[in-house]
Amino acid sequence: MRFSESDVEQAALAWLAALGYAVLNGPDIAAGEPGAERSDPNYRDVLLERRLRQALVRLNPDLPPDALETNDSAVQVLGDDTLRAIARELVETVRKNVTIDWTLRENVRAQPRVLVKRILRKHGYPPDKQKKATQTVLKQAEVLSAIWAGI
């Protein structure tokens, strides 16, 4: 028996629906549609920002509200494409470098912090906003790493 990508996708969507997640078809949330959640008509959106924010709040209701605010000055300076590239690199890097005990031990927590700062500097993130952005990324990584680790 062989599984296609579509079989796996449908099984995953059924599983998520059973867990209480809202499952919508791609065309229903495409750019230009009444329920649009994507901005790119070619489906190149990697993250659905509104859904990500809602999930973070649901997973961690104690998350400070400012952790979810968009840094408008960074958007103006860097633009959406650069911020998307930063987000992708941050997720990939943090995911590869966090361990189960990283939130408990300061010496282990230092490595992801350094990596986040390095990525922000590399992409020209505004220096006066880097400290808050680093704290926000690490706070969100705490929530996500528990999911990644299956805790």
Side-chain angles (χ1 to χ4, degrees):
M1 179 182 216
R2 297 186 73 173
F3 292 101
S4 69
E5 180 181 343
S6 181
D7 294 331
V8 173
E9 178 182 7
Q10 291 306 312
L13 290 173
W15 177 66
L16 290 168
L19 291 172
Y21 286 89
V23 176
L24 300 172
N25 293 316
D28 295 338
I29 60 172
E33 294 299 317
E37 293 186 34
R38 295 183 180 280
S39 58
D40 188 326
N42 296 314
Y43 294 90
R44 289 184 292 230
D45 303 271
V46 175
L47 296 174
L48 299 178
E49 186 177 328
R50 184 175 58 86
R51 285 186 180 242
L52 176 60
R53 290 173 188 271
Q54 290 171 343
L56 288 170
V57 169
R58 192 170 50 244
L59 291 168
N60 187 357
D62 297 327
L63 193 65
D66 66 342
L68 302 176
E69 290 177 2
T70 302
N71 186 332
D72 292 331
S73 67
V75 172
Q76 290 172 358
V77 171
L78 299 172
D80 288 335
D81 290 339
T82 301
L83 289 174
R84 276 190 207 98
I86 291 171
R88 283 187 203 108
E89 190 171 347
L90 285 169
V91 169
E92 181 180 325
T93 302
V94 171
R95 191 171 194 166
K96 286 180 183 175
N97 289 283
V98 296
T99 59
I100 290 179
D101 65 346
W102 82 280
T103 60
L104 304 175
R105 297 178 40 211
E106 186 57 36
N107 62 333
V108 178
R109 190 178 175 92
Q111 182 187 12
R113 185 182 310 116
V114 168
L115 293 171
V116 167
K117 288 178 181 180
R118 190 175 297 156
I119 291 167
L120 294 175
R121 277 194 308 271
K122 178 177 98 175
H123 288 279
Y125 200 87
D128 61 320
K129 306 291 184 185
Q130 287 181 14
K131 182 177 182 179
K132 182 175 180 183
T134 300
Q135 291 169 342
T136 300
V137 168
L138 293 175
K139 182 71 175 169
Q140 291 173 350
E142 286 181 31
V143 174
L144 294 173
S145 65
I147 296 167
W148 296 334
I151 297 172

